[in-house]
């Protein structure tokens, strides 16, 4: 009789433990309809350097400063992220190039009510394949970028999680005051980019971001261009794919392409300004 009673108590404890575990690990329930959160406003300052280091090799050096709204200050409220993105690129021909490198992104906690860490680093490996297509006086670009990403939250004991990002961007550069993209030319550049994600932590939120942008640029010299534009984005939250984040971003860019090689070693101009 005692053995039966002990067995019964063990079963009860096991079932209770399983019920508690199931309750703690219960996944997020998707809403009946998609829920869109209020848009956030941001300002990005970006620099893009393509520095020639060989006959077909170049160094892609990018630095981005991204600010995000606070309750009292829209757009440029506080620093949100600082990007250091670098790669070694290979020029296949005038219209095709490839890149491989790494990213260190410094994430700042923009939640004013959070008690977690203020700063967390994020690490990425990225490779990119870009193809340029001339069309009358304009230029079209297809860009495929794949990122392998290690990120974590701001809570004290948060662990890094791994995800892959799959990015495709289509962009056009159309001269407005000239019949080609040359110095002293103003151009408009509409673009669309779809960013998908995958990994064990991605359950019902494969669409990380959809970005629609229009930019106005000015080509100062073949080695220097300035541009500014507005971006609208929306994408699923990772924790619950039924909720979508939105944003409006002012973006300011500087493109520079120094070439310190001797003249006789230089290739003809290549389309590297993106």
């Amino acid at each position: 009789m005692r053995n039966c009673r002990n067995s019964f108590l063990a079963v009860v404890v096991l079932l209770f433990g399983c019920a508690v575990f199931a309750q703690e690990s219960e996944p997020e329930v998707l809403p009946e309809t998609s829920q869109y959160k209020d848009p956030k406003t941001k300002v990005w300052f970006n620099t893009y350097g393509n520095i020639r280091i060989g006959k077909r090799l170049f160094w892609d050096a990018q630095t981005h400063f991204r600010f995000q709204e606070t309750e009292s200050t829209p757009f440029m409220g506080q620093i949100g992220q600082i990007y250091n993105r670098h790669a070694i690129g290979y020029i296949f021909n005038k219209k095709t190039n490839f890149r491989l490198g790494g990213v260190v992104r410094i994430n700042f906690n923009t939640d004013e009510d959070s008690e977690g860490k203020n700063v967390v680093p994020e690490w990425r490996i990225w490779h990119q394949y870009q193809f340029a297509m001339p069309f009358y006086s304009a230029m079209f670009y297809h860009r495929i970028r794949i990122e392998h990403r290690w990120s974590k939250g701001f809570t004290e004991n948060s662990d890094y999680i791994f995800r892959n990002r799959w990015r495709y961007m289509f962009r056009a550069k159309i001269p407005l005051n000239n019949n080609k993209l040359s110095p002293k030319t103003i151009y408009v550049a509409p673009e669309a980019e779809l960013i998908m994600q995958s990994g064990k932590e991605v359950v019902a939120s494969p669409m990380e971001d959809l970005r629609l942008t229009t930019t106005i640029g000015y080509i100062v010299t073949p080695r220097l261009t300035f541009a500014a534009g507005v971006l609208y984005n929306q994408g699923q939250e990772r924790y619950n794919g039924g909720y979508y984040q939105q944003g409006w971003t002012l973006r300011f860019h500087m493109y520079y392409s120094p070439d310190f090689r001797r003249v006789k070693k230089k290739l003809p101009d290549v389309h590297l300004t993106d």
Side-chain angles (χ1 to χ4, degrees):
M1 179 67 68
R2 179 177 297 176
N3 291 336
C4 292
R5 185 171 62 252
N6 291 340
S7 298
F8 175 76
L9 291 174
V11 171
V12 170
V13 171
L14 179 61
L15 292 175
F16 178 76
C18 290
V20 171
F21 177 79
Q23 185 176 5
E24 290 180 350
S25 60
E26 183 178 351
E28 293 284 346
V29 177
L30 292 172
E32 292 184 2
T33 60
S34 298
Q35 303 295 314
Y36 284 81
K37 296 193 171 183
D38 293 335
K40 292 182 178 179
T41 58
K42 306 172 186 179
V43 175
W44 295 354
F45 297 96
N46 308 321
T47 64
Y48 301 86
N50 289 298
I51 304 166
R52 293 294 293 274
I53 58 177
K55 182 177 180 180
R56 293 191 176 273
L57 296 178
F58 64 95
W59 170 27
D60 185 339
Q62 302 181 23
T63 304
H64 300 175
F65 298 91
R66 300 184 174 182
F67 295 81
Q68 183 171 309
E69 69 174 0
T70 60
E71 291 185 2
S72 58
T73 309
F75 291 106
M76 196 181 298
Q78 72 171 81
I79 187 71
Q81 298 93 28
I82 296 177
Y83 275 77
N84 273 292
R85 178 185 285 123
H86 297 270
I88 297 298
Y90 177 78
I91 301 167
F92 182 75
N93 57 39
K94 287 184 63 176
K95 300 181 178 64
T96 306
N97 61 81
F98 315 113
R99 312 170 198 217
L100 172 65
V103 179
V104 179
R105 187 175 98 161
I106 307 301
N107 296 321
F108 295 85
N109 194 345
T110 57
D111 185 354
E112 297 175 338
D113 299 324
S114 173
E115 297 180 356
K117 296 180 179 179
N118 292 324
V119 182
V120 170
E122 179 178 316
W123 313 93
R124 300 179 188 179
I125 298 172
W126 68 293
H127 38 111
Q128 177 176 299
Y129 313 88
Q130 181 170 279
F131 311 92
M133 300 190 317
F135 184 77
Y136 292 99
S137 62
M139 186 70 69
F140 293 130
Y141 300 90
H142 298 276
R143 191 185 76 186
I144 299 170
R145 179 181 293 175
I146 301 172
E147 298 175 332
H148 312 288
R149 179 184 187 185
W150 290 265
S151 63
K152 67 177 181 177
F154 294 100
T155 56
E156 190 64 34
N157 298 316
S158 179
D159 295 324
Y160 278 98
I161 64 171
F162 173 76
R163 286 172 287 166
N164 290 307
R165 303 176 90 207
W166 314 90
R167 304 175 58 168
Y168 169 73
M169 186 192 76
F170 176 77
R171 186 185 191 200
K173 289 178 70 174
I174 306 167
L176 299 179
N177 64 333
N178 205 335
N179 57 3
K180 61 180 180 178
L181 294 164
S182 59
K184 299 183 180 179
T185 297
I186 300 172
Y187 66 86
V188 61
E191 69 179 60
E193 182 177 23
L194 177 63
I195 303 176
M196 306 294 288
Q197 62 177 340
S198 63
K200 292 182 178 180
E201 300 293 331
V202 181
V203 178
S205 54
M207 195 190 86
E208 182 176 348
D209 216 7
L210 172 64
R211 299 177 178 177
L212 304 175
T213 309
T214 298
T215 300
I216 300 293
Y218 179 71
I219 303 173
V220 181
T221 72
R223 304 296 178 191
L224 182 63
T225 296
F226 294 98
V230 178
L231 176 149
Y232 168 77
N233 74 288
Q234 67 173 38
Q236 293 175 293
E237 287 196 338
R238 183 174 65 83
Y239 299 103
N240 192 319
Y243 290 87
Y244 286 77
Q245 300 184 75
Q246 301 182 84
W248 288 98
T249 305
L250 297 177
R251 303 202 305 175
F252 301 91
H253 311 299
M254 181 180 74
Y255 302 94
Y256 61 98
S257 304
D259 189 345
F260 302 108
R261 299 169 302 133
R262 294 178 180 177
V263 174
K264 65 179 182 179
K265 294 184 178 180
K266 295 182 180 181
L267 286 173
D269 290 340
V270 292
H271 305 291
L272 294 176
T273 55
D274 294 319

